[in-house]
């Protein structure tokens, strides 16, 4: 997280068109703050979140913690690896198999 002037933790993110990737620690406080940020932004901009289209991705969390995160976000859980804009997104070391579609083309 990046620190803002008021010393609150701000999530790091990547924006592309109408997509957003947010990288953060999945604590209850962070999830509630993130959802508050999304809802506040939606009230001002009119850009509302569609939970049915949203996913979260995780790395090695307990089943109980995953249930809590899913409940707080209202999003489904996605699985790595997946392809985004033709690019494979995955966790860990780069392997040839991650880029096989590019090599085959």
């Amino acid at each position: 997280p990046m620190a803002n002037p008021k010393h609150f933790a701000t999530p790091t993110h990547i924006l592309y068109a109408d997509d957003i990737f947010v990288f953060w620690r999945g604590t209850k406080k962070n999830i509630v703050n993130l959802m508050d940020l999304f809802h506040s932004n939606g009230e001002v901009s009119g850009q509302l979140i569609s939970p049915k289209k949203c996913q979260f991705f995780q790395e090695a969390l307990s089943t109980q913690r995953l249930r809590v995160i899913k409940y707080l976000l209202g999003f489904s859980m996605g699985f790595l690896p997946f392809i985004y804009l033709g690019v494979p997104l995955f966790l860990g070391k780069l392997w040839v198999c991650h880029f096989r579609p590019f090599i085959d083309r």
Side-chain angles (χ1 to χ4, degrees):
M2 300 177 293
N4 68 23
K6 295 180 183 178
H7 306 291
F8 291 106
T10 304
T12 57
H13 58 281
I14 299 172
L15 300 171
Y16 180 80
D18 62 351
D19 294 343
I20 182 171
F21 285 87
V22 180
F23 305 91
W24 90 117
R25 284 188 173 20
T27 65
K28 183 176 180 179
K29 180 181 176 184
N30 285 347
I31 293 170
V32 169
N33 288 341
L34 181 66
M35 294 309 290
D36 286 346
L37 175 69
F38 287 158
H39 292 300
S40 295
N41 180 68
E43 289 175 7
V44 173
S45 69
Q47 296 177 320
L48 304 176
I49 291 177
S50 176
K52 291 179 182 177
K53 295 180 179 180
C54 297
Q55 295 181 322
F56 70 95
F57 298 85
Q58 58 84 30
E59 176 188 9
L61 295 177
S62 71
T63 304
Q64 175 61 26
R65 188 149 181 204
L66 286 174
R67 270 191 242 128
V68 170
I69 290 172
K70 187 174 181 177
Y71 173 78
L72 291 171
L73 289 174
F75 303 166
S76 63
M77 189 171 88
F79 298 94
L80 295 172
F82 69 97
I83 304 295
Y84 179 73
L85 297 177
V87 177
L89 298 180
F90 55 90
L91 182 64
K93 185 177 179 180
L94 298 172
W95 294 93
V96 172
C97 65
H98 293 119
F99 295 95
R100 179 58 54 197
F102 296 108
I103 294 168
D104 291 345
R105 278 192 240 158

